[in-house]
Amino acid sequence: MSDFIYNSQDTIAKSLISLVVIFSCIILITRLFGLRTFAKMSSIDFASTIAIGSVLASVILNSNQSLVKGGLVLLCIVGFQFLFSYGTRKSKLIQSVFVNTPKLLMKDGEILYDNLKKTNLSKSDLIAKLREANVFSFNEVKAVVLESTGDVSVLHCDDEKDIDDVILNDVEG
């Protein structure tokens, strides 16, 4: 029962040292690979962030985990993420196979029900996102896009402004 409340000083010291070392590794890796390391630009970025968190927790909390192994795994995760994002920028084939295309859910105040169905979203999910974006009327909505990251972007205004074509350039209608 005492281990539940307080572990030995040795265990606590190992945890604190692990925390400092593994966070230093994360800072170094982020400096090497850039801020995109923790950006949520694609599903691989999201998965990488979760994997990094899992490795961090394992190394800090499990005294049987090696700091070198943890640092190497972190480097491999971020390295894979870097190579994957590089590959998707350079190869249309890789991009078309592995990257989700943003989908248009609403256009000019009209709900695109077929696209809602394709994306497995309900009308109530869409309406919740409209409320989040402070939309008061469907007439205000210029476009709603389900982004490749899973986020929903709501483009709206209460006047007759048109959306520049480049904004919806890669969006699947």
Side-chain angles (χ1 to χ4, degrees):
M1 181 67 174
S2 65
D3 283 351
F4 178 71
I5 296 170
Y6 176 78
N7 275 343
S8 69
Q9 288 179 344
D10 186 42
T11 303
I12 292 172
K14 282 182 185 177
S15 295
L16 290 175
I17 291 168
S18 296
L19 175 89
V20 170
V21 170
I22 208 70
F23 263 91
S24 297
C25 286
I26 286 287
I27 291 167
L28 179 65
I29 289 168
T30 303
R31 296 288 291 161
L32 288 172
F33 287 96
L35 291 176
R36 170 149 187 173
T37 305
F38 295 107
K40 189 179 144 193
M41 303 291 279
S42 69
S43 55
I44 191 73
D45 295 329
F46 180 68
S48 295
T49 301
I50 289 176
I52 288 168
S54 179
V55 170
L56 262 166
S58 294
V59 170
I60 293 168
L61 295 174
N62 188 347
S63 60
N64 295 331
Q65 289 292 338
S66 142
L67 292 174
V68 172
K69 179 180 170 186
L72 185 61
V73 169
L74 290 173
L75 185 63
C76 289
I77 290 169
V78 175
F80 176 79
Q81 177 190 22
F82 178 81
L83 290 174
F84 184 84
S85 65
Y86 180 80
T88 57
R89 279 194 320 271
K90 296 295 183 182
S91 168
K92 292 289 184 192
L93 176 65
I94 292 174
Q95 188 174 32
S96 67
V97 172
F98 292 106
V99 178
N100 296 323
T101 306
K103 300 258 189 302
L104 198 59
L105 303 177
M106 273 185 89
K107 178 76 170 143
D108 297 323
E110 298 292 324
I111 297 174
L112 305 174
Y113 288 99
D114 286 343
N115 286 355
L116 278 180
K117 192 176 186 177
K118 286 177 191 174
T119 58
N120 201 25
L121 289 173
S122 68
K123 182 178 176 182
S124 60
D125 293 332
L126 175 65
I127 300 232
K129 289 299 179 180
L130 295 177
R131 286 191 302 264
E132 250 179 50
N134 295 319
V135 171
F136 295 100
S137 167
F138 280 10
N139 295 334
E140 297 175 25
V141 178
K142 302 300 178 184
V144 177
V145 178
L146 178 62
E147 303 292 353
S148 59
T149 60
D151 293 329
V152 175
S153 299
V154 179
L155 306 170
H156 66 97
C157 63
D158 54 5
D159 58 20
E160 295 300 317
K161 288 182 185 174
D162 287 328
I163 298 174
D164 289 340
D165 290 339
V166 71
I167 300 292
L168 299 177
N169 202 23
D170 295 331
V171 177
E172 206 175 283

